[in-house]
Amino acid sequence: MKVILASASERRKELLARIVDDFEVRVSNFDEEKISFNGDVDLYVKTLSKGKAKDIESKVSEDCVIIAADTIVVINDKILGKPRDEEEAMEMLKLLSDNVHRVYSGVTVINTSTGIMESKSLYTEVYFSKLTDEEIHRYIETGECLDKAGAYGIQGFGGVFVEKINGCYYNVVGLPLNLLNKILKDIT
């Protein structure tokens, strides 16, 4: 059966290729802004991933499996999305410095032939070392931080800031492979 990844993320494409041999990418047009955060992070990321998956489902006519995910960074009950600019990236990285935050992902899989949909979420705790302004500026100059939730990529230059993690590494990258693999086994 055809598998569709509802994401333009290069990281998600690379990770999905580790567990699915052949898949198609279709970018969801789901408007994340219409989902308000009510304080329940698990529900929030599941709702975002479900919205992306349902958007693609509404546009396909053939039987397929649709995979969608959403990843956010949370510190002190504050959600850190992708920074709008370098100034906001600096603020985010200063907030993460010498602190522990959580990276949450929501994953939704829809099997259109059976009508079964499963949404799950998980989080990983990430411990950052103390960063100097100079380290942050050098990192921002790489440009890597601007398209990443929380303004860093653990799989890239930002990985040097991470002292340790508690949980799934691939979740921090953007697609929790173990969780996704379990969901796929359950519904395909």
Side-chain angles (χ1 to χ4, degrees), residues 20-115:
V20 175
D21 291 330
D22 187 34
F23 60 92
E24 180 181 315
V25 172
R26 294 197 192 173
V27 180
S28 169
N29 293 320
F30 177 70
D31 182 9
E32 297 178 29
E33 298 297 316
K34 70 181 185 181
I35 305 300
S36 54
F37 177 60
N38 68 358
D40 184 337
V41 180
D42 287 313
L43 177 62
Y44 182 67
V45 292
K46 285 192 286 190
T47 301
L48 291 172
S49 69
K50 192 181 299 184
K52 292 175 182 181
K54 297 290 276 176
D55 176 62
I56 297 300
E57 181 185 33
S58 72
K59 298 171 182 169
V60 298
S61 55
E62 71 273 33
D63 287 342
C64 60
V65 172
I66 300 165
I67 299 167
D70 198 82
T71 302
I72 60 171
V73 172
V74 179
I75 185 165
N76 304 329
D77 298 321
K78 180 180 179 184
I79 294 175
L80 303 182
K82 295 176 183 176
R84 289 185 300 272
D85 52 31
E86 291 182 357
E87 184 178 309
E88 189 174 37
M90 181 75 167
E91 291 171 17
M92 288 182 182
L93 291 165
K94 281 186 170 191
L95 186 61
L96 298 176
S97 174
D98 201 27
N99 219 327
V100 180
H101 63 276
R102 288 183 173 181
V103 177
Y104 286 80
S105 286
V107 177
T108 297
V109 180
I110 300 173
N111 183 330
T112 63
S113 70
T114 63

Side-chain angles (χ1 to χ4, degrees), residues 131-146:
L131 308 178
T132 65
D133 285 355
E134 182 182 329
E135 287 174 307
I136 294 172
H137 283 295
R138 271 199 321 266
Y139 180 60
I140 289 172
E141 287 174 2
T142 70
E144 180 180 274
C145 61
L146 294 177

